[in-house]
Each structure stands twice: as C-alpha cells, then as structure tokens.
Amino acid sequence: MHIQAYTVEQVAEMLSVGRDKVYCLLRTGQLKSIKIGKLRRITDQHLADFVSSLESIDEA
C-alpha cells in the first residue's frame, strides 16, 4: 500500500487556493490531516474524501 502525503502548500497549489484557505478547511474539519511531530500532512485519501464531499454537496 502506497500513501502519498502532502504539505499544506502543496495542497493549496493542487486546489488552486491560498495557504490560508487550506488552514481554514483544516480548522473547520472539512479537510482532514495527520500530524507527524510538528509537521501537518494531508494524505491522498484525505484529499479524495474532501473532493468527494464537495461533489455530494453539488449534487444535492
């Protein structure tokens, strides 16, 4: 099993949003993450779940 983990900056670039927006999504629980020591990482599964949640909102 291969899991990719991204920095907040990488995720911001992938989603074409600012770093502050990613931190806001993390703070509100809309986007999940893991913490490794002092480092915050967002896995590919966290991203997939987040995008999936946005798609389900669009369909409603």
Side-chain angles (χ1 to χ4, degrees), residues 25-41:
L25 293 169
L26 291 169
R27 238 185 347 269
T28 60
Q30 295 173 338
L31 178 60
K32 302 289 185 211
S33 67
I34 57 174
K35 220 168 168 195
I36 305 170
K38 292 183 179 182
L39 305 173
R40 172 105 21 223
R41 294 293 181 260

Side-chain angles (χ1 to χ4, degrees), residues 1-47:
M1 183 165 112
H2 177 75
I3 298 174
Q4 185 70 37
Y6 304 102
T7 65
V8 169
E9 289 78 9
Q10 288 172 317
V11 170
E13 189 173 316
M14 284 183 223
L15 298 176
S16 299
V17 298
R19 199 174 133 248
D20 290 345
K21 180 62 176 177
V22 176
Y23 278 114
C24 178
L25 293 169
L26 291 169
R27 238 185 347 269
T28 60
Q30 295 173 338
L31 178 60
K32 302 289 185 211
S33 67
I34 57 174
K35 220 168 168 195
I36 305 170
K38 292 183 179 182
L39 305 173
R40 172 105 21 223
R41 294 293 181 260
I42 298 138
T43 67
D44 45 4
Q45 185 61 55
H46 292 137
L47 273 176

